Amino acid sequence: MVALARKTLVYEWRRFLPAILAVCFAGLLQLLQAALVLGIFGSASVYITGSSAQLWVGYPGTQSVNLGRPIDEGVEMRLRMDPDVVRVEPFRWVDADWRGPKDTGGVSVFVSGIDPRPDGMMFAQALPPRLRALLNEPDAVIVDRADLENLGVSVGDTAAINGHRVRVVGVSNGLRALGGVNVVSSLDTARELDVDPQDSGRVTYFVASVRDPARSREVARRLSGAASFGSYAVWTKQEFARRSQMYWILDTGAGAGVLFLAGIVFLVGAVITSQTLVAAVVGSVREYATLNALGVGVGALRKVVLEQAFWVGALGLVGSATMGMLLLALARSRSVPVALYPMPTILCLGLTMLLAMVSGLAAMRSLRRADPASLLR
Amino acid sequence: MADSAPNASLQARHVAKSFVSGRLRSTVLHDLSLDINPGELTLISGPSGCGKSTLLAILSGLQRPDQGQVMALGEELSRLDQHALERFRLRHTGFVFQGFNLFPALNALEQVELPLSYLGLTPAEARRRATASLEEVGMGPRMQLRPSELSGGEKQRVAIARALAKEPGLLFADEPTSALDAANGQIVIDILHRIARSHGTTVLCVSHDPRLVGHADRVLSMEDGRILSDHVAAVPAPPAPPFSASMESSA
Ligand SMILES: Nc1ncnc2c1ncn2[C@@H]1O[C@H](COP(=O)(O)OP(=O)(O)OP(=O)(O)O)[C@@H](O)[C@H]1O
Ligand SMILES: [Mg+2]
């Protein structure tokens, strides 16, 4: 079989270049915007992804980690009774008001009350044991390096949270919050800072680790089933992180923005690609008509055009993937928040391939001009 | 017209065709009947616009007549649907056009192999046939060249090889020489003639080029959509030996 589509693509690459570039940039834009959105909104779930616990137990229907409500202490008993659960740890979330020593006004902060033991699960990835130990001191807090300026403090300074005096004992890295500033304290300190009478000493979440992390989904389902210890819900780490991110993506309207931009990119890419492919078909229309006169069916000719679209898409995707990797590496090295997971990547690249194939279908229509009778004049 | 010849491979019976442009209806073919025999080079000549190409398109199954029937190799073309017509053309007809219509990306060998691959031949068989056809038209040594590296006459020979490699029973040529100079036109018409003789192919050539008249076995003169005269060469022109110096002026 003579590889007409491929040979033409190689020989007339200049003609196909605009289409390949259009596919390449469309793919690249989709990848970059997905990576940026996931990167920015990934910090909405830093509490979950920065911790080692596989299960999160909170108030039923909680949409995002920052929207947690107090749950019954009895839940802890229920968790500890389960043979698959090896450790349980409370986590207290407090929305609070920060007043620094400098005149920064009130800053809205999220206080995370965690167990400061060296092997504690909360922020196991984000806080090394040396920093955690500092939290054992009463009224000690840790803030993120990136927030020092906003809070108007440096290490060793004192400030007030909800009117309660605290002291900054250390700084963390990579604990930036969305819509506020993260402050980490021990569970006891957080309890002091919690002035909401509704909370009345109750914690916001329990986190747990299970014997076999691969089975955490199954364990979460089982624990969710029994409601005899009050109302609570159990999510796996991945579920809750996703839930929190999706809440922020949708709540801020970023999701609609992403879809809008993805649609525009798709449209512009498809217009350029299909026009280029149409021009290529029209440029060879007499040759196609000759093949049809010799008895090569219209279906076979359409296949050639579609195959051309496929190769244009494949070459464009190789370009998108290569440039995407380079640019994401560059972004990471400049601490631009970017994150890309397999599913979104496949989705972006799949959408781009779809763009190429849709353009191929559009170009196929211009084969109708390949009427062999028109060669006889 | 004449009764059907016993061995005609291509027959037209009462074929009529007209085109409508705007309010004007112009009849291009008037109730035309003819028989064309295998193993001959039949030339249809006539002034521009007399309907030669239209007749060729109808006889080859590229266009449908308004009235009348066409029998090609015992098959009535009007009975075939679009798909069956494509199958028929794939198996039985070859075409040579005024423009060479070669894919710029393919070399001569690939141009010829391309339609063969749709015939369901094995790659080895397709390669064998393509090579043989190219050698038959004298393009053996230039099989690896692309159209941009070939002269006009060479391109037309590749186009002939492309039609020939299918081993068609019917070979249609529309003004195959009019884009070529005299010498190359001579070569091309000699090849077509030789194909008719050696393969028993029905070769139907349409041209207004008077130089070709002496090279045909039979000449049909057309005017205004009718056949005016049917002239069988008294002494059939001997097909020239392959690529000898048959390039003396034919004026
Ligand atoms: N698709 C069409 N639509 C309308 N008119 C057509 C069409 N095809 C051919 N005609 C008309 O039919 C007439 C005969 O055309 P045809 O191409 O058969 O002439 P021809 O004998 O091949 O001429 P030439 O020697 O110049 O190639 C012309 O007057 C042309 O205008
Ligand atoms: Mg014509």
Side-chain angles (χ1 to χ4, degrees):
Chain A
M1 195 79 184
V2 178
L4 177 61
R6 256 180 301 150
K7 294 215 155 136
T8 305
L9 198 67
V10 170
Y11 187 75
E12 299 178 33
W13 63 271
R14 273 170 230 274
R15 166 174 261 166
F16 290 96
L17 194 60
I20 295 172
L21 288 180
V23 172
C24 174
F25 282 114
L28 186 63
L29 283 175
Q30 309 279 27
L31 278 179
L32 289 187
Q33 81 158 348
L36 269 175
V37 166
L38 291 174
I40 291 168
F41 291 98
S43 48
S45 61
V46 68
Y47 320 91
I48 305 158
T49 52
S51 303
S52 62
Q54 284 107 28
L55 295 184
W56 279 71
V57 184
Y59 195 82
T62 303
Q63 301 223 51
S64 169
V65 62
N66 61 308
L67 300 176
R69 299 176 51 75
I71 55 173
D72 284 326
E73 310 271 327
V75 176
E76 184 171 6
M77 280 302 296
R78 169 75 185 90
L79 295 173
R80 288 193 190 284
M81 272 159 54
D82 194 281
D84 278 314
V85 173
V86 287
R87 283 182 59 194
V88 181
E89 197 179 295
F91 172 51
R92 184 188 293 270
W93 178 284
V94 184
D95 287 324
D97 182 55
W98 166 287
R99 303 241 167 218
K102 298 200 189 102
D103 188 17
T104 51
V107 180
S108 150
V109 295
F110 309 137
V111 179
S112 292
I114 65 164
D115 188 339
R117 282 191 312 184
D119 60 345
M121 289 181 284
M122 277 308 300
F123 293 134
Q125 271 103 47
L127 294 179
R130 187 188 53 77
L131 269 181
R132 309 175 76 88
L134 297 176
L135 292 177
N136 281 318
E137 187 188 322
D139 299 334
V141 296
I142 290 173
V143 298
D144 197 75
R145 188 178 303 283
D147 292 324
L148 282 176
E149 203 167 320
N150 283 347
L151 296 174
V153 286
S154 46
V155 178
D157 286 352
T158 56
I161 294 181
N162 281 352
H164 190 99
R165 222 176 75 100
V166 294
R167 201 164 74 82
V168 178
V169 294
V171 288
S172 62
N173 283 309
L175 271 189
R176 300 192 66 169
L178 265 184
V181 171
N182 277 329
V183 173
V184 187
S185 75
S186 68
L187 279 163
D188 292 335
T189 306
R191 184 180 187 137
E192 294 290 322
L193 300 177
D194 196 349
V195 293
D196 189 340
Q198 270 199 330
D199 294 359
S200 62
R202 292 182 299 172
V203 300
T204 329
Y205 297 97
F206 287 103
V207 299
S209 60
V210 295
R211 202 174 304 282
D212 178 8
R215 287 181 54 231
S216 42
R217 212 181 155 79
E218 191 188 323
V219 178
R221 292 290 163 279
R222 195 179 60 230
L223 288 169
S224 282
S228 48
F229 288 85
S231 64
Y232 64 93
V234 186
W235 304 278
T236 64
K237 177 179 185 171
Q238 290 78 13
E239 285 167 350
F240 200 44
R242 221 182 92 84
R243 210 177 158 88
S244 300
Q245 286 180 24
M246 284 317 287
Y247 172 80
W248 276 92
I249 287 175
L250 298 178
D251 185 60
T252 54
V258 163
L259 287 183
F260 179 72
L261 201 60
I264 299 273
V265 167
F266 189 96
L267 204 71
V268 172
V271 166
I272 298 176
T273 308
S274 64
Q275 284 308 303
T276 308
L277 289 174
V278 164
V281 171
V282 169
S284 297
V285 79
R286 298 180 69 82
E287 285 75 31
Y288 285 127
T290 303
L291 281 187
N292 186 238
L294 290 171
V296 177
V298 178
L301 298 180
R302 289 193 178 138
K303 240 182 32 240
V304 171
V305 174
L306 265 196
E307 196 189 326
Q308 242 160 27
F310 171 80
W311 288 114
V312 163
L315 287 175
L317 283 189
V318 168
S320 324
T322 320
M323 284 170 70
M325 276 191 318
L326 289 177
L327 285 177
L328 289 184
L330 183 75
R332 282 208 187 91
S333 74
R334 297 288 154 93
S335 350
V336 177
V338 286
L340 207 50
Y341 312 109
M343 266 320 278
T345 309
I346 291 172
L347 202 73
C348 287
L349 297 183
L351 195 70
T352 312
M353 190 41 123
L354 186 72
L355 180 162
M357 295 318 277
V358 165
S359 307
L361 287 177
M364 223 162 66
R365 290 161 44 96
S366 49
L367 269 180
R368 277 185 303 192
R369 295 194 217 174
D371 174 19
S374 68
L375 299 173
L376 295 168
R377 278 295 140 82
Chain B
M1 250 212 150
D3 290 326
S4 99
N7 61 343
S9 49
L10 193 58
Q11 302 177 306
R13 286 290 169 273
H14 309 292
V15 165
K17 179 83 182 171
S18 45
F19 290 106
V20 181
S21 50
R23 290 236 208 94
L24 233 69
R25 184 181 184 85
S26 57
T27 304
V28 178
L29 299 177
H30 301 269
D31 189 40
L32 195 148
S33 298
L34 53 80
D35 293 292
I36 296 171
N37 301 321
E40 288 183 354
L41 169 58
T42 305
L43 179 73
I44 300 180
S45 73
S48 183
C50 69
K52 304 182 298 291
S53 297
T54 307
L55 177 61
L56 193 76
I58 288 173
L59 290 177
S60 61
L62 292 183
Q63 235 170 44
R64 294 192 188 268
D66 297 339
Q67 280 164 38
Q69 294 94 43
V70 175
M71 290 278 281
L73 302 176
E75 190 100 46
E76 210 196 301
L77 296 186
S78 58
R79 295 238 179 90
L80 305 179
D81 63 15
Q82 186 62 34
H83 187 70
L85 215 50
E86 274 172 0
R87 286 298 304 168
F88 180 85
R89 293 206 303 262
L90 183 61
R91 265 178 292 168
H92 302 299
T93 64
F95 283 92
V96 178
F97 300 106
Q98 174 179 351
F100 319 119
N101 305 340
L102 301 174
F103 287 96
L106 305 184
N107 67 29
L109 185 60
E110 291 160 343
Q111 308 276 3
V112 180
E113 278 179 328
L114 181 58
L116 295 184
S117 51
Y118 292 96
L119 264 173
L121 300 179
T122 62
E125 171 67 4
R127 172 68 47 102
R128 191 194 63 72
R129 276 208 210 174
T131 313
S133 308
L134 282 164
E135 272 161 4
E136 187 166 348
V137 299
M139 288 298 291
R142 317 190 80 93
M143 276 192 301
Q144 300 301 330
L145 299 185
R146 294 209 174 91
S148 59
E149 300 157 314
L150 295 172
S151 75
E154 288 169 338
K155 279 189 257 200
Q156 192 60 303
R157 273 145 65 187
V158 173
I160 294 174
R162 173 169 67 180
L164 179 63
K166 292 168 64 194
E167 300 178 355
L170 307 169
L171 180 57
F172 297 95
D174 186 37
E175 311 276 6
T177 60
S178 59
L180 304 176
D181 59 48
N184 275 307
Q186 178 91 52
I187 292 175
V188 162
I189 197 73
D190 281 342
I191 291 172
L192 292 176
H193 200 175
R194 204 150 25 79
I195 289 170
R197 291 293 175 91
S198 55
H199 297 263
T201 310
T202 308
V203 181
L204 182 60
C205 180
V206 154
S207 181
H208 60 246
D209 186 349
R211 293 172 303 183
L212 300 187
V213 169
H215 294 266
D217 296 308
R218 182 180 170 200
V219 180
L220 300 170
S221 305
M222 234 183 123
E223 210 159 301
D224 267 343
R226 293 182 179 87
I227 304 282
L228 289 188
S229 74
D230 183 347
H231 175 77
V232 179
V235 183
F243 308 100
S244 64
S246 63
M247 301 199 181
E248 308 96 301
S249 114
S250 53

